[in-house]
Amino acid sequence: MIPFDYERPSDVDGAIATATSRGSVAFLAGGTNLVDRMKLGVTEPELLVDLGGLPLDDVEELPDGGLRVGATVRNSDLAAHPVVLRDYPVLARALLSGASGQLRNLATTGGNLLQRTRCVYFQDVTTPCGKREPGTGCSAVGGSTRQHAILGASERCVATHPSDMAVAMAALDARVRVRGPEGERVIPLVDLHRLPGDEPERDTVLSGGDLITAVDLPPLPPGTRSLYRKVRDRASFAFALVSVAAVLRVEGGVVRDVRIALGGVAHKPWRATTAEEELLGGPATEEAFRRAAELELAAARPLSDNGFKVPLARNTIVAALRELSLEER
Amino acid sequence: MTEVMPPRALGQSPRRVDGPAKVTGTAPYAGDQRVTDPAYLELVQARVARGTVTGVDTTAALALDGVLAVLTPDNAPTLASTDDAELDAFRHEIGFRGQVVAAVVARTREIARQAAGLVRVEVDEHPHDVHLSADRDDLRAPEEVNAGFETDTDQGDVDAAMGEAAFSVDETYKTAWYNNNPMEPHTTTAQWTGDWLLLHDSTQGVHPTRETVAKVLGLDPEHVRVVAPHVGGGFGSKGTAHVHVVVAALAAQAVPGTPVKLALTRQQMFSLVGYRTPTIQRVRLGCDAGGRLSAVAVDVVEQTSRIKEYAEQTAVSSRMMYAAPNRRTTHRLAVLDVPVPSWMRAPGECPGMFALEAAVDELAIASGVDPVEFRIRNEPDVDPDSGKPFSSRNLVACLRDGARRFGWADRDPAPRVREEAGWLIGTGVASSTYPVNSMPGSVSTIRYVIPGRYRVEIGAADIGTGTWTSLAQVAADALGVPFEDVEMQIGDTALPNASVAGGSSGITSWGSTVVATARAFREKFGDDPDEGDEMTGEMPEASGDDYAMHAFGAQFAEVRVHVDTGEVRVPRLLGVFAAGRIVNPRLARSQLVGGMTMGLSMALHEESVLDERFGHVVNHDFAEYHIATNSDVPNVEAHWVEEDDPHVNPMGTKGIGEIGIVGTAAAIANAAYHATGVRVRELPLTLDHFLD
Amino acid sequence: MESDIELHVDGRARQVRLDSRTTLLDALRDGLGATAPKKGCDHGQCGACTVLLDGRRVVTCLTFAIAHDGATVTTAEGLADGERLHPVQEAFIERDAFQCGFCTPGQVCSAVGMLAEVAEGRPSAATADLAGAVELSGEEIRERMSGNLCRCAAYGNIVDAIQDGAR
C-alpha cells in the first residue's frame, strides 16, 4: 500500500471539492471493500476522503410513502429499520444475507453499491486483469469461472457484481441520488452499474467527484409481496452463486405486477425484464414462471465452470415466484 | 503388555487450565509475545511456476525510509544444509509459483509491505507442468510412502477374484487439494543475541523445529531456543518447519539484536506451508453373493513437488480395514511444479478412507446387503496386511452402537424416496480408522517445587488438543496425587525434549514419558518427597510390536439436498469411536467433533482450485476457500465405546486428534446418494452435482 | 502521513501515533500491545479480529485506525473485570467452546455484540418472521456467528456457551 493523505470533511460540498482537488482520490465510507482492495494493491488512492463526518446517515420516510436511505446508513441499521422490515422484506432479507454481522455493522448503503467484484483474478495483482489494468485482458476466461457471469459479459470481462443489497434495490426500482461537481442528479439503480463491454474498468456511470448521497425507495402498492432467495456454496457468509429478488402482485390468478432481479449472474444486478414482460398480465402458474425464466436465460452464455448457473437461476426464479404466488400464510 | 494405570484423574473432565487466558485473549501466541522495538518482515514471491532468478533490483525498496534490509538470492547468507530444498531459502531456481525469492525488513509493517511491492525480480521463465492426471506416462513409484509404509502391496490374485466375484465395483474417486488453514497464520519472531537465536514460533514441536533450524543454519542446537506455549491450530501444517522460519532467522541476522516479526498472510499459506495432495483413486472391490469381500484393490495417483518428494500414504488403511484374501495397493506420484505437499490431519487415512468407504457403500448396495451389516460381515480376525492380531478392535461395536443411536434400523434403503419441504433426505454410514502412533525421544522432568505442588516439564505442544490439561491428568495419576497439585511447563526448548504433536501420538509419547518419570520419581522419593526433589526420565521403548494397533469408529450422516437448487446440508452427524481410554471426555469430545466437522467441511466445501496456466491456487483466502461456518454445522455428536487395551501404552489411550476426520466425507457422500440417487465420486459435493 | 489519535481501549485512554495506512487491528496489536484481537486473514473473512467498537461488533482489519479518533474499543480482555470473567467467557470455558483458542477472543466479542443485537430485536437471515420477536434458537445463533470461523470447529459448543452466557 502506498502512503495516502486523509481528510474528513463535514459537509457534502466540501467532500466533493476535496475529492476533485487531486487526481487519485477515493471516498472512504465503511471501508470493508476499499480497505480490502488497498491491502491487495488493487486500488492505490493518494487521498482518502472519509465520509464519516457527513450528515448522510438517516433513513427518512418520504411523503409518497417511500423511503430515503442516506448513503452512510450502515447495512445492519437499514436491515433492522422498522419500515424496511414492514414494507421492503426483500431488502431486509438481501441485506441480512450479505457478509457477516461484523461487516454489516461497518458497511454502508453507498459503499455496498460501489463495492467491486471479488473475481479472484481482479483481486490478485500477479495475474492480468483488464478491469484492474485496462488492456491487459481477462484471466478468468479460460480460468476458474465458477463465480462468474452468464449474462451480459464481454470477452474483456466476465466478472460479477457481488452485492445482495443492490439486487433487492434493483427489483424495488430504487433511484440513486448523486451529487457531483455539476450538481445533483437522480439515476435509476438499474442504470447505475454498467455491463463491461470494452471498458471493464468502469463499473458504474459515475465519474470523478460524484458522490452517492442517498437511495430512494418508491412505495410498493398494497398487496405486493417480495422476497430474496440467495443460493451459495455454504449456508452463510458467502457470495451468491445465484440470487433472486422478486416482487409480485397477483390478483385473481393474474400477474399484475412483477419485478425480478438476479444477483451472481452478471456485471451488474440483472433486471430480468424479458421474464417480467412475459409474465405481466398472464397467469401466475408454475408453467408460466418456468417459461419466463427460460426466456430470460436464453441469452445466457455460460463459461467452462458455471454452466450450472443456468438451471440454478431458472429453478431459483421459479421457486421464488412460486412462493410469492402462494396464498398468504 | 504394559501395566495400565488405574484411572483417577484420567477419565475426569477438568476444564482447560489455559481457558481464562484464551477467552480473554491474553494467552501469548507467537505473534503476541512481547518484544522490544521489533522490525517487520515481508516476503516477495515468485510469479512464475518454474524459472531462474536472473536478478533482483532492490534500489527502490532500499530507498524507502524505514527499510532496513532486503534479502535476495544474490546476497542471502549461504546455508549450512540445503538437503531439504523446501528450506533452501532464496534459491535462484524457482520450483513453484509463490516460492520466496526475496524478503524486506523494515521499521513498520506498512513500510515493509510497500517496499516488498517495489522489489523488482527478473526471471528467466521456463515452461511449467502442474497437471495431475492418472493418464500421465511419467508417474513415479516412490521408495516408500509417508510414515515409512511400503509403496505397493500385493496378496493373492485380485484380477482373478474380480472376475469371479458375484458383485463388484470398479470406480475412480477423487479428492481435492486441501489447505490446512489453521486460524493462526504461521508466525515467527526471530532475534539474535550474539550467536544465540531465539524463535517465537507457531509450531507443533519446538524441539523438531530447533533441530531443523540448527541443521539448516549450521548452529549448535543448544544455541537455538524455540518458544511456543500456545499454538493457534496446526493440523499438520506446523508439524515441520517451513521456509518462513529460515527466512525469519536469516532476516534477523541482517539486523542483529532486533527482533524480526514475520506472520504469513492467509494467501501465502496456500503455497508455503504444505497442503494435502489431491488424489485420484481407482478402487476395485469384489464380493460373493453373501457380501463377503474377495478382493480389495486401490491404485492411487497423487502429486508431489519437483523440489521435494512427499508421498501420501493414501491406500494404507485399505490394507487393514476389511477381510479379503486378494488385495493390492499401489501409490504413484506425478512430479509437478507445485508447492510442496505435506501433512494434513490424518494424511493417508483421510483421503483414502473417502474412496474405500464410498466404494464399500456402492458394493453393499449392489449386493443387497445393508451397509452397516456389510461392514460387520467383513470384519477380519487378524490384521489382513501383517497377519498380526489387533491389540483391540471394536469397529463392530462402533457400528452397532452408532446405528442404535442414529436410528439406522428404520432406514428404507431405497434412494430418493424421502422429501420434506423441498429437501430430499438421505442417510449414510462409513467407518473410521487411525493407527496408534508412538514417537521416540521424549524426556520429562518432574520436580516437587513446594509442598503439595509438582511441576512437570516437557517441551510438548498444545495446538488446541488440550495438552496443558490432559498431560497434567496423566501426571497426576502417575504420581498418585490430585490433578490440582500438578502444573505443566510445555512449549519451550528450554524444557526437556519432546516429539512432535503429530500422528495423534501426543499422549502416547509424552504421556508414556511422564508416566515413566513419575514412576521413577515415586520409586526414589516415595509419596512424601522433599522440596526440590526431581527426576528426569525418558520415553520407554514402545511396546506392542506383536500387535496391530488402531483406533476405529463409525460415522453416520443425514444429508438434505434441495430439490430446486441442489444445495447440500448436513443437519446431523454422529460418530462412535473406539479409541482406548479417554483421558478427558470434555476435551476429547471437542476434538472428535472438530475432526468430524473438518470432514464435513471437506465433503461439502473445501477445494483449492489450481489455475494450471499460472500454477497457483486462485481461491487463496477465506472468502473463496470455504471452510464450514457455524451455520453449516447444526448437530455433530461424538460418542465412544468403553475400550480396554493393555498393549498400547500405560494410559491405555489410542490418540484421537485425527480419527474424527477419517470417513466423514464418505458417510456424507453415501447419504447424498441415498437422498438423491446421484452417486458423486469426487469432492466437494457442491450443488451443481445435484441440479436438474 | 502520520497522525496522533486517541483510542479508549478496555477502559483506558491511549494516545497513539500512527501511519494513515495502519488498520485498527494493527494499531491495537502493534501500537497498543492488545493481544486479544487476532489477525487470522486480514481481509474481513474470518472474524478473529472482532472487537466492540463504540459498542458494536466489527472486524478491525478492514478499517483504518485514523478514522476512529476518539472511539471506544472493547476487546475480549476488556470484557473481563480483572479475574472476573464475563458470563459469556465463563460459559466458553465450561462448554469447552474452543480448542486452539486463536479465534476465541473474536468469538467472544462477536457473541457479546450479537446478544446486544438480539436484545434490540434486530432480525437475522435465520429469523422466520422479520417483524416478530427474535428467539435465541440454535439456528439464530449459528447464523449470527457465521462471520467467526473456527477451524478447530468448536461451533456446537460455542452455540451452547452463548445460550448459557445469555441467561
PDB file of all heavy atoms in Angstrom, chain B residues 490-505:
ATOM      1  N   ILE B 490       5.248 -26.509  29.317  1.00  0.00           N
ATOM      2  CA  ILE B 490       5.396 -27.084  27.973  1.00  0.00           C
ATOM      3  C   ILE B 490       5.740 -25.991  26.966  1.00  0.00           C
ATOM      4  O   ILE B 490       5.719 -24.805  27.281  1.00  0.00           O
ATOM      5  CB  ILE B 490       4.113 -27.825  27.507  1.00  0.00           C
ATOM      6  CG1 ILE B 490       2.926 -26.848  27.382  1.00  0.00           C
ATOM      7  CG2 ILE B 490       3.763 -28.970  28.454  1.00  0.00           C
ATOM      8  CD1 ILE B 490       1.702 -27.458  26.698  1.00  0.00           C
ATOM      9  N   GLY B 491       6.051 -26.414  25.743  1.00  0.00           N
ATOM     10  CA  GLY B 491       6.173 -25.475  24.634  1.00  0.00           C
ATOM     11  C   GLY B 491       7.426 -24.616  24.645  1.00  0.00           C
ATOM     12  O   GLY B 491       7.372 -23.435  24.305  1.00  0.00           O
ATOM     13  N   ASP B 492       8.557 -25.182  25.007  1.00  0.00           N
ATOM     14  CA  ASP B 492       9.788 -24.391  25.077  1.00  0.00           C
ATOM     15  C   ASP B 492      10.960 -25.372  25.013  1.00  0.00           C
ATOM     16  O   ASP B 492      10.968 -26.380  25.730  1.00  0.00           O
ATOM     17  CB  ASP B 492       9.803 -23.618  26.401  1.00  0.00           C
ATOM     18  CG  ASP B 492      10.891 -22.543  26.458  1.00  0.00           C
ATOM     19  OD1 ASP B 492      11.919 -22.703  25.776  1.00  0.00           O
ATOM     20  OD2 ASP B 492      10.697 -21.566  27.189  1.00  0.00           O
ATOM     21  N   THR B 493      11.951 -25.057  24.169  1.00  0.00           N
ATOM     22  CA  THR B 493      13.113 -25.948  24.104  1.00  0.00           C
ATOM     23  C   THR B 493      13.986 -25.828  25.346  1.00  0.00           C
ATOM     24  O   THR B 493      14.926 -26.605  25.514  1.00  0.00           O
ATOM     25  CB  THR B 493      13.989 -25.674  22.859  1.00  0.00           C
ATOM     26  OG1 THR B 493      14.321 -24.291  22.835  1.00  0.00           O
ATOM     27  CG2 THR B 493      13.283 -26.079  21.586  1.00  0.00           C
ATOM     28  N   ALA B 494      13.692 -24.859  26.211  1.00  0.00           N
ATOM     29  CA  ALA B 494      14.397 -24.803  27.499  1.00  0.00           C
ATOM     30  C   ALA B 494      13.956 -25.962  28.390  1.00  0.00           C
ATOM     31  O   ALA B 494      14.572 -26.241  29.408  1.00  0.00           O
ATOM     32  CB  ALA B 494      14.132 -23.471  28.186  1.00  0.00           C
ATOM     33  N   LEU B 495      12.878 -26.626  27.989  1.00  0.00           N
ATOM     34  CA  LEU B 495      12.363 -27.781  28.732  1.00  0.00           C
ATOM     35  C   LEU B 495      12.887 -29.056  28.071  1.00  0.00           C
ATOM     36  O   LEU B 495      13.401 -29.019  26.955  1.00  0.00           O
ATOM     37  CB  LEU B 495      10.829 -27.759  28.708  1.00  0.00           C
ATOM     38  CG  LEU B 495      10.181 -26.475  29.257  1.00  0.00           C
ATOM     39  CD1 LEU B 495       8.697 -26.443  28.935  1.00  0.00           C
ATOM     40  CD2 LEU B 495      10.400 -26.398  30.770  1.00  0.00           C
ATOM     41  N   PRO B 496      12.731 -30.193  28.748  1.00  0.00           N
ATOM     42  CA  PRO B 496      13.222 -31.446  28.148  1.00  0.00           C
ATOM     43  C   PRO B 496      12.579 -31.759  26.795  1.00  0.00           C
ATOM     44  O   PRO B 496      11.446 -31.364  26.519  1.00  0.00           O
ATOM     45  CB  PRO B 496      12.844 -32.496  29.201  1.00  0.00           C
ATOM     46  CG  PRO B 496      12.768 -31.749  30.485  1.00  0.00           C
ATOM     47  CD  PRO B 496      12.256 -30.386  30.127  1.00  0.00           C
ATOM     48  N   ASN B 497      13.317 -32.513  26.006  1.00  0.00           N
ATOM     49  CA  ASN B 497      12.951 -32.815  24.620  1.00  0.00           C
ATOM     50  C   ASN B 497      11.584 -33.477  24.493  1.00  0.00           C
ATOM     51  O   ASN B 497      11.237 -34.378  25.258  1.00  0.00           O
ATOM     52  CB  ASN B 497      13.997 -33.760  24.028  1.00  0.00           C
ATOM     53  CG  ASN B 497      13.826 -33.911  22.537  1.00  0.00           C
ATOM     54  OD1 ASN B 497      14.093 -32.993  21.790  1.00  0.00           O
ATOM     55  ND2 ASN B 497      13.352 -35.074  22.113  1.00  0.00           N
ATOM     56  N   ALA B 498      10.809 -33.015  23.494  1.00  0.00           N
ATOM     57  CA  ALA B 498       9.521 -33.662  23.230  1.00  0.00           C
ATOM     58  C   ALA B 498       9.344 -33.868  21.741  1.00  0.00           C
ATOM     59  O   ALA B 498       9.801 -33.055  20.931  1.00  0.00           O
ATOM     60  CB  ALA B 498       8.374 -32.817  23.770  1.00  0.00           C
ATOM     61  N   SER B 499       8.667 -34.947  21.388  1.00  0.00           N
ATOM     62  CA  SER B 499       8.389 -35.248  19.982  1.00  0.00           C
ATOM     63  C   SER B 499       7.273 -34.343  19.479  1.00  0.00           C
ATOM     64  O   SER B 499       6.616 -33.648  20.245  1.00  0.00           O
ATOM     65  CB  SER B 499       8.002 -36.722  19.830  1.00  0.00           C
ATOM     66  OG  SER B 499       6.923 -37.040  20.687  1.00  0.00           O
ATOM     67  N   VAL B 500       7.063 -34.386  18.185  1.00  0.00           N
ATOM     68  CA  VAL B 500       6.101 -33.500  17.523  1.00  0.00           C
ATOM     69  C   VAL B 500       4.663 -33.874  17.908  1.00  0.00           C
ATOM     70  O   VAL B 500       4.358 -35.037  18.178  1.00  0.00           O
ATOM     71  CB  VAL B 500       6.280 -33.569  15.991  1.00  0.00           C
ATOM     72  CG1 VAL B 500       5.865 -34.941  15.444  1.00  0.00           C
ATOM     73  CG2 VAL B 500       5.510 -32.463  15.286  1.00  0.00           C
ATOM     74  N   ALA B 501       3.809 -32.858  17.959  1.00  0.00           N
ATOM     75  CA  ALA B 501       2.372 -33.102  18.119  1.00  0.00           C
ATOM     76  C   ALA B 501       1.825 -33.471  16.750  1.00  0.00           C
ATOM     77  O   ALA B 501       1.321 -32.636  16.013  1.00  0.00           O
ATOM     78  CB  ALA B 501       1.677 -31.863  18.663  1.00  0.00           C
ATOM     79  N   GLY B 502       1.965 -34.743  16.416  1.00  0.00           N
ATOM     80  CA  GLY B 502       1.533 -35.203  15.099  1.00  0.00           C
ATOM     81  C   GLY B 502       1.199 -36.681  15.169  1.00  0.00           C
ATOM     82  O   GLY B 502       1.626 -37.377  16.106  1.00  0.00           O
ATOM     83  N   GLY B 503       0.437 -37.150  14.200  1.00  0.00           N
ATOM     84  CA  GLY B 503       0.103 -38.569  14.159  1.00  0.00           C
ATOM     85  C   GLY B 503      -0.720 -39.019  15.359  1.00  0.00           C
ATOM     86  O   GLY B 503      -0.705 -40.199  15.712  1.00  0.00           O
ATOM     87  N   SER B 504      -1.427 -38.106  15.986  1.00  0.00           N
ATOM     88  CA  SER B 504      -2.238 -38.423  17.179  1.00  0.00           C
ATOM     89  C   SER B 504      -1.397 -39.134  18.231  1.00  0.00           C
ATOM     90  O   SER B 504      -1.881 -39.987  18.964  1.00  0.00           O
ATOM     91  CB  SER B 504      -3.454 -39.283  16.799  1.00  0.00           C
ATOM     92  OG  SER B 504      -4.303 -38.604  15.905  1.00  0.00           O
ATOM     93  N   SER B 505      -0.123 -38.763  18.297  1.00  0.00           N
ATOM     94  CA  SER B 505       0.815 -39.501  19.140  1.00  0.00           C
ATOM     95  C   SER B 505       1.138 -38.796  20.444  1.00  0.00           C
ATOM     96  O   SER B 505       1.931 -39.301  21.240  1.00  0.00           O
ATOM     97  CB  SER B 505       2.126 -39.725  18.374  1.00  0.00           C
ATOM     98  OG  SER B 505       2.796 -38.476  18.210  1.00  0.00           O
TER      99      SER B 505
END
